[in-house]
Amino acid sequence: MAFPVALQLYSVRNEAEQDLKGTLEAVKSMGYEGVEFAGLYGHSPEQVKSLCEQIGLVPISAHVPYAELAADPDRVLSRYASIGCRFVAVPYLGEADRPGQDGFFTVIENVKTIGESARKAGVRLLYHNHDFEFVKVDGTYGLDLLYEKVPADRLETELDVCWVAVGGEDPCAYLRKYAGRAPVVHLKDYFGEKSENMYELIGIESKAPVRPSNFQFRPLGSGLQDIPAILDAAKDAGAQWVVVEQDSPSMGLTPLECAKKSIDYLRQIGN
């Protein structure tokens, strides 16, 4: 394959919660080379490191809540560094911290500090976007403003190609825009149109009324994304890893079946 492929374990979170070792073994058997964590599922960093070594998976990265990172970056980042994670990503921002809100400017300053702590810990800090960063602040997308204000040696991108597209931009163009600053790329396919219930589909409840929608996350190659073109753009951007993520299963498949369908597709197209 052109890229080593990891699975974001949030895709199989219920399975990992019930049986982390068995889930990691299943992921390895599918052909994934690495995993990206979203929590440690009741295990210590030492246990997680040992499991990955036993099974032969690279613990390439982890999504760690922004609030945890901001509260005690040195302690939190050292935990993930001890597992062997090369990257840690800020995965999500609550409404008060998003572009268009005053809290976003605090986020920018905190990310500078977190990025410095990451450097000291030997970890590279990433930011994982959704679509809400494609709100303009003084004429500039919030996502671009974040990367403009925080130096590249403290913050790199983990562009999620689904959310870039849902945000109204071309994932390939965005990857190339951040060439040299895009070491990890989130591969995600989808079908349907932007709607109010998308954040329910990623496991975050919405209090807003939800209108019927045909939006769903899908295994790679089963949706609207041009995955071969995205992989070409990731190569141009200098990506080191691609990470498969599917926030919720679809097409009558289980989460593990979706994960297998995605990597089988990548193998089929010669990634």
Side-chain angles (χ1 to χ4, degrees), residues 202-221:
I202 67 172
I204 299 171
E205 291 187 6
S206 170
K207 296 180 182 177
V210 176
R211 63 177 180 269
S213 168
N214 64 349
F215 185 92
Q216 58 181 222
F217 299 106
R218 287 197 173 178
L220 300 183

PDB file of all heavy atoms in Angstrom, residues 202-221:
ATOM      1  N   ILE A 202     -22.378  10.959  15.202  1.00  0.00           N
ATOM      2  CA  ILE A 202     -21.030  10.747  15.723  1.00  0.00           C
ATOM      3  C   ILE A 202     -21.050  10.507  17.228  1.00  0.00           C
ATOM      4  O   ILE A 202     -20.012  10.494  17.873  1.00  0.00           O
ATOM      5  CB  ILE A 202     -20.065  11.906  15.363  1.00  0.00           C
ATOM      6  CG1 ILE A 202     -20.437  13.214  16.069  1.00  0.00           C
ATOM      7  CG2 ILE A 202     -19.995  12.113  13.874  1.00  0.00           C
ATOM      8  CD1 ILE A 202     -19.402  14.311  15.875  1.00  0.00           C
ATOM      9  N   GLY A 203     -22.241  10.312  17.782  1.00  0.00           N
ATOM     10  CA  GLY A 203     -22.341   9.943  19.181  1.00  0.00           C
ATOM     11  C   GLY A 203     -22.478  11.110  20.122  1.00  0.00           C
ATOM     12  O   GLY A 203     -22.326  10.962  21.333  1.00  0.00           O
ATOM     13  N   ILE A 204     -22.762  12.287  19.574  1.00  0.00           N
ATOM     14  CA  ILE A 204     -22.956  13.473  20.405  1.00  0.00           C
ATOM     15  C   ILE A 204     -24.405  13.903  20.268  1.00  0.00           C
ATOM     16  O   ILE A 204     -24.877  14.189  19.175  1.00  0.00           O
ATOM     17  CB  ILE A 204     -22.014  14.614  19.972  1.00  0.00           C
ATOM     18  CG1 ILE A 204     -20.560  14.157  20.137  1.00  0.00           C
ATOM     19  CG2 ILE A 204     -22.274  15.887  20.759  1.00  0.00           C
ATOM     20  CD1 ILE A 204     -19.557  15.100  19.559  1.00  0.00           C
ATOM     21  N   GLU A 205     -25.117  13.936  21.351  1.00  0.00           N
ATOM     22  CA  GLU A 205     -26.539  14.241  21.289  1.00  0.00           C
ATOM     23  C   GLU A 205     -26.778  15.699  20.939  1.00  0.00           C
ATOM     24  O   GLU A 205     -26.048  16.587  21.349  1.00  0.00           O
ATOM     25  CB  GLU A 205     -27.214  13.914  22.623  1.00  0.00           C
ATOM     26  CG  GLU A 205     -27.270  12.422  22.916  1.00  0.00           C
ATOM     27  CD  GLU A 205     -28.082  12.113  24.136  1.00  0.00           C
ATOM     28  OE1 GLU A 205     -28.705  13.051  24.686  1.00  0.00           O
ATOM     29  OE2 GLU A 205     -28.097  10.945  24.558  1.00  0.00           O
ATOM     30  N   SER A 206     -27.821  15.927  20.184  1.00  0.00           N
ATOM     31  CA  SER A 206     -28.225  17.276  19.825  1.00  0.00           C
ATOM     32  C   SER A 206     -29.534  17.608  20.512  1.00  0.00           C
ATOM     33  O   SER A 206     -30.440  16.781  20.572  1.00  0.00           O
ATOM     34  CB  SER A 206     -28.397  17.385  18.306  1.00  0.00           C
ATOM     35  OG  SER A 206     -29.007  18.607  17.978  1.00  0.00           O
ATOM     36  N   LYS A 207     -29.633  18.815  21.020  1.00  0.00           N
ATOM     37  CA  LYS A 207     -30.888  19.253  21.642  1.00  0.00           C
ATOM     38  C   LYS A 207     -31.804  19.928  20.638  1.00  0.00           C
ATOM     39  O   LYS A 207     -32.953  20.229  20.936  1.00  0.00           O
ATOM     40  CB  LYS A 207     -30.579  20.214  22.804  1.00  0.00           C
ATOM     41  CG  LYS A 207     -29.800  19.548  23.941  1.00  0.00           C
ATOM     42  CD  LYS A 207     -29.532  20.540  25.066  1.00  0.00           C
ATOM     43  CE  LYS A 207     -28.723  19.878  26.173  1.00  0.00           C
ATOM     44  NZ  LYS A 207     -28.389  20.831  27.258  1.00  0.00           N
ATOM     45  N   ALA A 208     -31.278  20.168  19.455  1.00  0.00           N
ATOM     46  CA  ALA A 208     -32.080  20.836  18.431  1.00  0.00           C
ATOM     47  C   ALA A 208     -33.054  19.854  17.801  1.00  0.00           C
ATOM     48  O   ALA A 208     -32.783  18.649  17.732  1.00  0.00           O
ATOM     49  CB  ALA A 208     -31.169  21.419  17.356  1.00  0.00           C
ATOM     50  N   PRO A 209     -34.192  20.329  17.325  1.00  0.00           N
ATOM     51  CA  PRO A 209     -35.102  19.446  16.580  1.00  0.00           C
ATOM     52  C   PRO A 209     -34.381  18.892  15.357  1.00  0.00           C
ATOM     53  O   PRO A 209     -33.594  19.585  14.718  1.00  0.00           O
ATOM     54  CB  PRO A 209     -36.243  20.374  16.165  1.00  0.00           C
ATOM     55  CG  PRO A 209     -36.125  21.562  17.040  1.00  0.00           C
ATOM     56  CD  PRO A 209     -34.678  21.700  17.399  1.00  0.00           C
ATOM     57  N   VAL A 210     -34.635  17.652  15.049  1.00  0.00           N
ATOM     58  CA  VAL A 210     -33.959  17.007  13.932  1.00  0.00           C
ATOM     59  C   VAL A 210     -34.952  16.708  12.827  1.00  0.00           C
ATOM     60  O   VAL A 210     -35.965  16.058  13.041  1.00  0.00           O
ATOM     61  CB  VAL A 210     -33.287  15.697  14.399  1.00  0.00           C
ATOM     62  CG1 VAL A 210     -32.661  14.987  13.213  1.00  0.00           C
ATOM     63  CG2 VAL A 210     -32.248  15.987  15.459  1.00  0.00           C
ATOM     64  N   ARG A 211     -34.666  17.211  11.639  1.00  0.00           N
ATOM     65  CA  ARG A 211     -35.527  16.901  10.507  1.00  0.00           C
ATOM     66  C   ARG A 211     -35.012  15.626   9.834  1.00  0.00           C
ATOM     67  O   ARG A 211     -33.833  15.279   9.957  1.00  0.00           O
ATOM     68  CB  ARG A 211     -35.530  18.057   9.504  1.00  0.00           C
ATOM     69  CG  ARG A 211     -34.195  18.353   8.852  1.00  0.00           C
ATOM     70  CD  ARG A 211     -34.337  19.462   7.817  1.00  0.00           C
ATOM     71  NE  ARG A 211     -33.069  19.768   7.182  1.00  0.00           N
ATOM     72  CZ  ARG A 211     -32.224  20.687   7.607  1.00  0.00           C
ATOM     73  NH1 ARG A 211     -32.506  21.380   8.682  1.00  0.00           N
ATOM     74  NH2 ARG A 211     -31.097  20.911   6.972  1.00  0.00           N
ATOM     75  N   PRO A 212     -35.864  14.911   9.132  1.00  0.00           N
ATOM     76  CA  PRO A 212     -35.419  13.688   8.471  1.00  0.00           C
ATOM     77  C   PRO A 212     -34.239  13.964   7.534  1.00  0.00           C
ATOM     78  O   PRO A 212     -34.174  15.002   6.889  1.00  0.00           O
ATOM     79  CB  PRO A 212     -36.655  13.251   7.685  1.00  0.00           C
ATOM     80  CG  PRO A 212     -37.795  13.858   8.420  1.00  0.00           C
ATOM     81  CD  PRO A 212     -37.289  15.173   8.940  1.00  0.00           C
ATOM     82  N   SER A 213     -33.312  13.027   7.493  1.00  0.00           N
ATOM     83  CA  SER A 213     -32.120  13.225   6.671  1.00  0.00           C
ATOM     84  C   SER A 213     -31.688  11.900   6.077  1.00  0.00           C
ATOM     85  O   SER A 213     -31.882  10.850   6.663  1.00  0.00           O
ATOM     86  CB  SER A 213     -30.990  13.796   7.524  1.00  0.00           C
ATOM     87  OG  SER A 213     -29.770  13.728   6.835  1.00  0.00           O
ATOM     88  N   ASN A 214     -31.041  11.972   4.910  1.00  0.00           N
ATOM     89  CA  ASN A 214     -30.480  10.765   4.322  1.00  0.00           C
ATOM     90  C   ASN A 214     -28.981  10.687   4.551  1.00  0.00           C
ATOM     91  O   ASN A 214     -28.302   9.854   3.955  1.00  0.00           O
ATOM     92  CB  ASN A 214     -30.782  10.710   2.819  1.00  0.00           C
ATOM     93  CG  ASN A 214     -30.111  11.852   2.048  1.00  0.00           C
ATOM     94  OD1 ASN A 214     -29.584  12.787   2.636  1.00  0.00           O
ATOM     95  ND2 ASN A 214     -30.134  11.769   0.723  1.00  0.00           N
ATOM     96  N   PHE A 215     -28.436  11.551   5.414  1.00  0.00           N
ATOM     97  CA  PHE A 215     -26.999  11.563   5.649  1.00  0.00           C
ATOM     98  C   PHE A 215     -26.582  10.326   6.430  1.00  0.00           C
ATOM     99  O   PHE A 215     -27.203   9.967   7.422  1.00  0.00           O
ATOM    100  CB  PHE A 215     -26.576  12.817   6.424  1.00  0.00           C
ATOM    101  CG  PHE A 215     -25.087  12.931   6.583  1.00  0.00           C
ATOM    102  CD1 PHE A 215     -24.334  13.638   5.660  1.00  0.00           C
ATOM    103  CD2 PHE A 215     -24.440  12.318   7.641  1.00  0.00           C
ATOM    104  CE1 PHE A 215     -22.948  13.737   5.794  1.00  0.00           C
ATOM    105  CE2 PHE A 215     -23.060  12.405   7.785  1.00  0.00           C
ATOM    106  CZ  PHE A 215     -22.323  13.119   6.855  1.00  0.00           C
ATOM    107  N   GLN A 216     -25.517   9.687   5.964  1.00  0.00           N
ATOM    108  CA  GLN A 216     -24.939   8.578   6.718  1.00  0.00           C
ATOM    109  C   GLN A 216     -23.470   8.434   6.379  1.00  0.00           C
ATOM    110  O   GLN A 216     -23.027   8.762   5.272  1.00  0.00           O
ATOM    111  CB  GLN A 216     -25.673   7.256   6.439  1.00  0.00           C
ATOM    112  CG  GLN A 216     -25.692   6.825   4.996  1.00  0.00           C
ATOM    113  CD  GLN A 216     -26.446   5.532   4.772  1.00  0.00           C
ATOM    114  OE1 GLN A 216     -25.997   4.672   4.016  1.00  0.00           O
ATOM    115  NE2 GLN A 216     -27.597   5.382   5.417  1.00  0.00           N
ATOM    116  N   PHE A 217     -22.707   7.997   7.366  1.00  0.00           N
ATOM    117  CA  PHE A 217     -21.310   7.652   7.129  1.00  0.00           C
ATOM    118  C   PHE A 217     -21.276   6.273   6.483  1.00  0.00           C
ATOM    119  O   PHE A 217     -22.092   5.409   6.800  1.00  0.00           O
ATOM    120  CB  PHE A 217     -20.535   7.650   8.445  1.00  0.00           C
ATOM    121  CG  PHE A 217     -20.525   8.984   9.122  1.00  0.00           C
ATOM    122  CD1 PHE A 217     -21.294   9.214  10.253  1.00  0.00           C
ATOM    123  CD2 PHE A 217     -19.760  10.025   8.625  1.00  0.00           C
ATOM    124  CE1 PHE A 217     -21.296  10.442  10.879  1.00  0.00           C
ATOM    125  CE2 PHE A 217     -19.755  11.267   9.245  1.00  0.00           C
ATOM    126  CZ  PHE A 217     -20.520  11.474  10.373  1.00  0.00           C
ATOM    127  N   ARG A 218     -20.311   6.078   5.584  1.00  0.00           N
ATOM    128  CA  ARG A 218     -20.226   4.807   4.870  1.00  0.00           C
ATOM    129  C   ARG A 218     -18.783   4.305   4.805  1.00  0.00           C
ATOM    130  O   ARG A 218     -17.836   5.094   4.905  1.00  0.00           O
ATOM    131  CB  ARG A 218     -20.770   4.966   3.454  1.00  0.00           C
ATOM    132  CG  ARG A 218     -22.284   5.090   3.414  1.00  0.00           C
ATOM    133  CD  ARG A 218     -22.793   4.838   2.033  1.00  0.00           C
ATOM    134  NE  ARG A 218     -24.258   4.793   1.988  1.00  0.00           N
ATOM    135  CZ  ARG A 218     -24.948   4.629   0.865  1.00  0.00           C
ATOM    136  NH1 ARG A 218     -24.313   4.500  -0.287  1.00  0.00           N
ATOM    137  NH2 ARG A 218     -26.267   4.595   0.892  1.00  0.00           N
ATOM    138  N   PRO A 219     -18.618   2.996   4.596  1.00  0.00           N
ATOM    139  CA  PRO A 219     -17.266   2.478   4.368  1.00  0.00           C
ATOM    140  C   PRO A 219     -16.654   3.134   3.136  1.00  0.00           C
ATOM    141  O   PRO A 219     -17.363   3.555   2.215  1.00  0.00           O
ATOM    142  CB  PRO A 219     -17.501   0.977   4.135  1.00  0.00           C
ATOM    143  CG  PRO A 219     -18.814   0.673   4.790  1.00  0.00           C
ATOM    144  CD  PRO A 219     -19.627   1.921   4.621  1.00  0.00           C
ATOM    145  N   LEU A 220     -15.343   3.201   3.111  1.00  0.00           N
ATOM    146  CA  LEU A 220     -14.654   3.817   1.982  1.00  0.00           C
ATOM    147  C   LEU A 220     -15.032   3.120   0.684  1.00  0.00           C
ATOM    148  O   LEU A 220     -15.115   1.891   0.614  1.00  0.00           O
ATOM    149  CB  LEU A 220     -13.141   3.738   2.176  1.00  0.00           C
ATOM    150  CG  LEU A 220     -12.567   4.423   3.413  1.00  0.00           C
ATOM    151  CD1 LEU A 220     -11.043   4.303   3.411  1.00  0.00           C
ATOM    152  CD2 LEU A 220     -12.989   5.879   3.503  1.00  0.00           C
ATOM    153  N   GLY A 221     -15.278   3.930  -0.342  1.00  0.00           N
ATOM    154  CA  GLY A 221     -15.655   3.400  -1.633  1.00  0.00           C
ATOM    155  C   GLY A 221     -17.140   3.167  -1.805  1.00  0.00           C
ATOM    156  O   GLY A 221     -17.579   2.759  -2.880  1.00  0.00           O
TER     157      GLY A 221
END
